Amino acid sequence: MAALPLALGALSGGSLPVTAPALVAGSTALVFLPDLCQERPPARHSRTRSTARTLTGRRSVDLTRLASVRLWTTFSPGGVQQRALLVRDVYGVRLGITSAAGRRALRTALARQQGRRARVSPAARACLGDGPGWWLVRHTVMMFLSQVVAACLYAIGFLEVSGLG
């Protein structure tokens, strides 16, 4: 999705009135895309379900049928801004859990799993307190580097397409 503004710039022949809004749209997508599924207050967490408002509407994840749990970290100029546990159930519903109550409900749900177990990344385990802390450090460094590299590549691509580079 972030490549669409670059494609628009290329199709317009590098026209500045087209590529400038494309840069703004692409930058906005890079910033807001991870936030689309993060929980907003008020959120409700029980043993079987986590329900919360998100930017895209109300989402409800079945904690008894989890498919995967990953950790997503975003940054601000001052350092780590927020860590969200991206939880996906077998129905494909995804919710970014950021609250302490949500983390407790998730930790309980993972401990009570029977049969098919959810795939939980090592960084998510460390964030929940069930794994070694160096996974959290490794995750933070890798997320920071990948976001910096993605932003640099986007800027280079934009400059090339617009003919400014």
Side-chain angles (χ1 to χ4, degrees):
M1 176 147 94
L4 182 62
L6 290 177
L8 287 174
L11 291 174
S12 71
S15 168
L16 193 58
V18 174
T19 53
L23 175 63
V24 172
S27 300
T28 304
L30 286 174
V31 170
F32 286 114
L33 199 58
D35 290 332
L36 292 179
C37 67
Q38 285 188 9
E39 68 180 348
R40 305 276 188 257
R44 293 186 320 195
H45 305 284
S46 68
R47 288 183 173 205
T48 59
R49 191 161 297 284
S50 282
T51 304
R53 284 183 320 127
T54 67
L55 287 177
T56 58
R58 187 180 192 103
R59 294 183 185 216
S60 188
V61 173
D62 186 354
L63 295 176
T64 61
R65 309 228 21 214
L66 293 174
S68 67
V69 180
R70 297 178 307 158
L71 182 64
W72 181 264
T73 304
T74 57
F75 298 92
S76 67
V80 173
Q81 180 180 2
Q82 186 171 3
R83 294 188 193 278
L85 291 161
L86 296 179
V87 178
R88 188 174 52 86
D89 63 13
V90 295
Y91 305 109
V93 178
R94 185 173 298 162
L95 179 64
I97 294 178
T98 57
S99 66
R103 289 174 195 246
R104 281 192 302 273
L106 178 59
R107 192 177 301 120
T108 302
L110 289 172
R112 298 181 66 149
Q113 278 187 330
Q114 297 175 358
R116 184 175 174 268
R117 302 179 71 70
R119 292 185 327 205
V120 182
S121 73
R125 278 198 197 284
C127 188
L128 289 168
D130 295 336
W134 62 270
W135 277 107
L136 201 54
V137 173
R138 179 177 180 250
H139 165 81
T140 303
V141 169
M142 294 305 290
M143 287 296 288
F144 177 76
L145 291 175
S146 66
Q147 289 177 15
V148 167
V149 167
C152 289
L153 290 175
Y154 185 83
I156 289 169
F158 174 76
L159 291 173
E160 288 295 320
V161 166
S162 67
L164 298 173

